[in-house]
Amino acid sequence: RGVRIAVQDVGSMFSLAFTPSFESGVSEAAQDEARFERLIVRLAGEGVLLPPMSSECAFLSAAHVPIIEDILAAFGRAFEQP
C-alpha cells in the first residue's frame, strides 16, 4: 500500500512510527504524531486499540491468535484512508 512505517519489536512488544522513507529510522518517524493519531482513531473505530503515542509499546499475546486476521484487516482498511 506504500505506507512507510518503522516497526520496532522485542518479543511480543512492538511500536509503530511513520517514516519519510523505507530507509529512515524511528527517530525521524516520531515527528509525524498527527498521522499516527489518525491511524489510532481509525483503528479504534475498528475495535483495535493501540497506545496513543508512537513512542509507547503495544503488546501481542496468545489471546490475539483467534482474531489476528481481523486485526490485520483493520490495519489494511485504516491504511486505505488518506
Side-chain angles (χ1 to χ4, degrees):
R1 293 193 164 101
V3 178
R4 294 181 174 112
I5 284 193
V7 178
Q8 292 192 331
D9 68 299
V10 175
S12 66
M13 298 184 303
F14 67 95
S15 63
L16 306 172
F18 288 95
T19 62
S21 71
F22 287 117
E23 292 79 32
S24 297
V26 171
S27 60
E28 292 178 36
Q31 298 172 19
D32 200 349
E33 288 295 328
R35 190 169 181 194
F36 185 81
E37 183 178 326
R38 288 192 303 273
L39 174 66
I40 295 305
V41 169
R42 291 174 185 154
L43 288 173
E46 296 272 350
V48 177
L49 304 178
L50 293 178
M53 296 180 64
S54 63
S55 60
E56 297 178 300
C57 290
F59 298 84
L60 286 174
S61 74
H64 295 101
V65 171
I67 59 169
I68 195 69
E69 293 299 325
D70 296 331
I71 294 169
L72 294 174
F75 268 92
R77 288 187 295 273
F79 288 141
E80 288 173 356
Q81 300 176 32

